[in-house]
Amino acid sequence: MTTTGSEKMVDSHQKPLNDSTAADLDPLAGLGYKQELKRNRSLFTLLFQSLAIAALPFGEGGPLLSAIYGGGQLAIFLGWIVLLILASSVAVSLAEIASRYPTSAGPYYWSYQLAPAPNRTVLSFINGWVWLIGNWTITLSVNFGLASLITATAAIYHPDFAAEPWQLLLIFYAILLLSFVVCTFGNRLLPMVDTICAAWTAISIFIICIALSVRAEAGRHSASYTLGHYDKSLSGWGGFTFFIGLLPAAYTFSAIGMISAMAEEVHDPTIKVPQAIALSVPVLWFFGLFFVIPICATLPPLADITTAPGLQALPYIFHTVMGTPGGGLGLMFLVLAITAFCSISITVAASRTTWAFARDDAIPGARLWSRVNPGLGVPVWALLLVTVVQMLLGLINLGSTSAFTAFVSVGVQALQVSYGIPIALSLFSKRVQVSQARWKLPAGVGTVANVVALCWIAFEVVLFSMPTTLPVDRTTMNYASVVLMGFMAFAAVWYVVYARKAYKGPPASDGL
């Protein structure tokens, strides 16, 4: 079997690793790998990184225009309530599997261990590429979203300003390079960065809540209007309008599984990784209430928001509600800082995913991308690959903004599919493996959670394939499904040309 710079400890065709002594001394030994990354994270820093990746004010506020078209206040508030149940079902379903198999390889490793022997190699390869694509494109969506928010914030003071595509691209590139430098040379400080981000986010939400509630220059709505106003006239979707409004909340919770990529950098990962995944949803949801309710209570007219500069609703709402450019800019500064923290945290997680997949010889140039710099303790080449891929995909925005927008939807779709495959495999195998995990749900509760998670994932994939408004033209059409299939076609070609002979799957393991 071909090995990379992070050699596997056993060939995947050997008997499963179940040596309890080795697993106790080194959790990775029981999963077939050797320890290469430093375990410098705790439960709290892992949870804080998960919250940083979600970046609540950006996650909900960046795509907020979809909720405006989706009916306004009812979609924003009720959507947030509904997502607690749906996202929690996905989170706890992933947490159980992560407890059994705590490795940076994540969903594609889980798929290999849970799938029937005849098909598990191909299935893990497919899910590995879906997982990789999801990581790359969701990271792209954050970094490009930050660039878009910066230009939209500039419009607070200069209403006629509209960034040219090349200007937006240069800002995007600057963000990518800054994240690359921080993630490469500041690895030992990153747990502290995530902690600072969590504190900054909590304080920012408190400030935004108070500021919007006190100023309310566009007016304060009644309680019934704040929580129940529903305007179906903007999207063209009729009775389906409400579901379009779920997009921002769904996007916010979409990357909850990415923290599994940090499993090889935390002590006692069989407990702390699932705890971080499971806790991230209720903690995020609770703080989210203090963000979405003040926005719902002070929203300007919905039709006015749809004309916001750069199609970014949040800067326009803050400016209008605060009544002055300085007030709007002050609140946007808080959000931009949170998004910058998110850029760092999500880039770290995506690089670990890339490194882990390369470690199993599944991507072109795997020997290079799987190297860990001994001095920095970081997979620098994997970080570089994540950065370069985003730079190349960013060029598409120069020719077609609609095609580029598809990458945002692809990020959510790919992540959800990569979650759904191991959850389905675990459910269809009667949850035998997760029943042996150190962190697990009671049997009946776990089964219900798995079923709810799979139903939501299936619906979410369809939802993120739909255009926000009807009727559509070539600029408003959602090409996410086409883009996802294009990525998968590349993966299929790579499998036929090389991987079907070289890729043997990750090491077989009985789990921890």
Side-chain angles (χ1 to χ4, degrees):
M1 175 181 175
T2 303
T3 58
T4 64
S6 53
E7 294 179 357
K8 297 179 186 177
M9 298 193 66
V10 295
D11 189 290
S12 59
H13 292 301
Q14 293 179 0
K15 63 181 181 180
L17 296 174
N18 56 8
D19 189 302
S20 59
T21 301
D24 291 339
L25 295 175
D26 179 3
L28 278 182
L31 300 175
Y33 299 112
K34 69 177 183 179
Q35 185 70 44
E36 292 190 86
L37 303 176
K38 184 178 180 181
R39 294 188 182 271
N40 64 346
R41 294 177 181 268
S42 65
L43 167 61
F44 287 107
T45 57
L46 207 62
L47 175 61
F48 294 157
Q49 184 181 1
S50 183
L51 299 178
I53 289 173
L56 171 59
F58 167 76
E60 177 72 12
L64 188 61
L65 193 61
S66 295
I68 301 302
Y69 280 111
Q73 282 88 340
L74 180 67
I76 297 172
F77 175 71
L78 185 57
W80 194 254
I81 302 297
V82 170
L83 258 293
L84 172 64
I85 299 172
L86 301 177
S88 292
S89 298
V90 176
V92 295
S93 296
L94 294 176
E96 291 182 304
I97 307 175
S99 177
R100 185 66 171 155
Y101 306 106
T103 167
S104 296
Y108 85 87
Y109 183 97
W110 307 340
S111 299
Y112 183 85
Q113 309 303 339
L114 295 170
N119 305 314
R120 63 185 186 177
T121 300
V122 173
L123 188 58
S124 73
F125 182 83
I126 294 171
N127 202 31
W129 270 95
V130 175
W131 175 232
L132 188 66
I133 291 163
N135 274 256
W136 285 349
T137 51
I138 205 73
T139 304
L140 170 72
S141 75
V142 169
N143 289 318
F144 203 88
L146 176 55
S148 299
L149 277 181
I150 290 173
T151 59
T153 301
I156 290 177
Y157 277 97
H158 304 281
D160 296 329
F161 171 74
E164 297 293 334
W166 66 267
Q167 294 173 318
L168 193 59
L169 185 68
L170 290 180
I171 297 173
F172 173 57
Y173 280 3
I175 293 168
L176 291 178
L177 293 175
L178 179 61
S179 291
F180 174 79
V181 171
V182 172
C183 295
T184 300
F185 299 103
N187 185 56
R188 67 184 183 86
L189 300 175
L190 292 181
M192 182 177 68
V193 170
D194 292 325
T195 303
I196 294 172
C197 176
W200 181 277
T201 302
I203 294 171
S204 297
I205 290 173
F206 175 77
I207 293 173
I208 292 170
C209 175
I210 298 298
L212 295 182
S213 301
V214 170
R215 294 292 294 178
E217 290 293 323
R220 293 183 183 87
H221 305 303
S222 66
S224 60
Y225 192 97
T226 295
L227 305 181
H229 177 65
Y230 184 48
D231 184 350
K232 298 188 294 184
S233 67
L234 298 175
S235 72
W237 277 102
F240 195 78
T241 296
F242 172 79
F243 297 104
I244 298 298
L246 294 179
L247 290 171
Y251 176 75
T252 303
F253 289 103
S254 64
I256 53 177
M258 286 184 67
I259 202 68
S260 65
M262 307 304 295
E264 298 178 28
E265 297 174 63
V266 61
H267 293 286
D268 196 14
T270 56
I271 293 296
K272 292 178 180 175
V273 172
Q275 284 180 333
I277 295 174
L279 284 172
S280 63
V281 173
V283 172
L284 184 65
W285 182 85
F286 173 77
F287 281 102
L289 288 175
F290 295 93
F291 182 73
V292 300
I293 292 179
I295 288 178
C296 289
T298 58
L299 270 183
L302 301 185
D304 293 349
I305 300 175
T306 62
T307 62
L311 299 180
Q312 287 289 342
L314 200 61
Y316 176 84
I317 292 170
F318 283 173
H319 179 198
T320 304
V321 175
M322 294 302 293
T324 64
L329 179 62
L331 297 188
M332 279 307 304
F333 172 77
L334 300 175
V335 176
L336 292 173
I338 291 170
T339 314
F341 282 124
C342 174
S343 172
I344 295 169
S345 299
I346 201 168
T347 298
V348 170
S351 71
R352 301 312 190 256
T353 294
T354 305
W355 165 75
F357 203 35
R359 180 174 57 180
D360 287 317
D361 201 16
I363 60 178
R367 189 177 299 275
L368 178 63
W369 314 127
S370 62
R371 292 178 184 173
V372 175
N373 184 288
L376 298 172
V378 172
V380 177
W381 290 104
L383 263 170
L384 181 62
L385 179 60
V386 171
T387 302
V388 171
V389 167
Q390 291 180 81
M391 285 182 164
L392 294 175
L393 294 179
L395 292 172
I396 295 175
N397 191 63
L398 295 176
S400 172
T401 55
S402 59
F404 181 81
T405 303
F407 287 107
V408 177
S409 297
V410 166
V412 177
Q413 289 180 322
L415 288 179
Q416 303 316 302
V417 171
S418 67
Y419 300 158
I421 290 175
I423 293 173
L425 289 170
S426 176
L427 181 63
F428 295 152
S429 64
K430 300 181 180 179
R431 297 172 44 83
V432 172
Q433 289 298 323
V434 295
S435 67
Q436 302 173 57
R438 291 182 63 196
W439 192 100
K440 58 182 180 290
L441 297 171
V445 176
T447 300
V448 172
N450 291 168
V451 172
V452 173
L454 290 173
C455 290
W456 167 236
I457 286 170
F459 180 73
E460 197 171 7
V461 171
V462 175
L463 185 63
F464 275 84
S465 297
M466 295 180 172
T468 302
T469 60
L470 293 177
V472 298
D473 55 35
R474 66 183 185 86
T475 60
T476 60
M477 182 62 187
N478 189 332
Y479 297 97
S481 299
V482 177
V483 174
L484 181 60
M485 289 301 102
F487 275 120
M488 294 313 299
F490 173 81
V493 170
W494 177 246
Y495 184 80
V496 171
V497 171
Y498 175 80
R500 65 187 177 91
K501 295 180 180 179
Y503 179 73
K504 306 301 180 183
S509 170
D510 286 338
L512 300 181

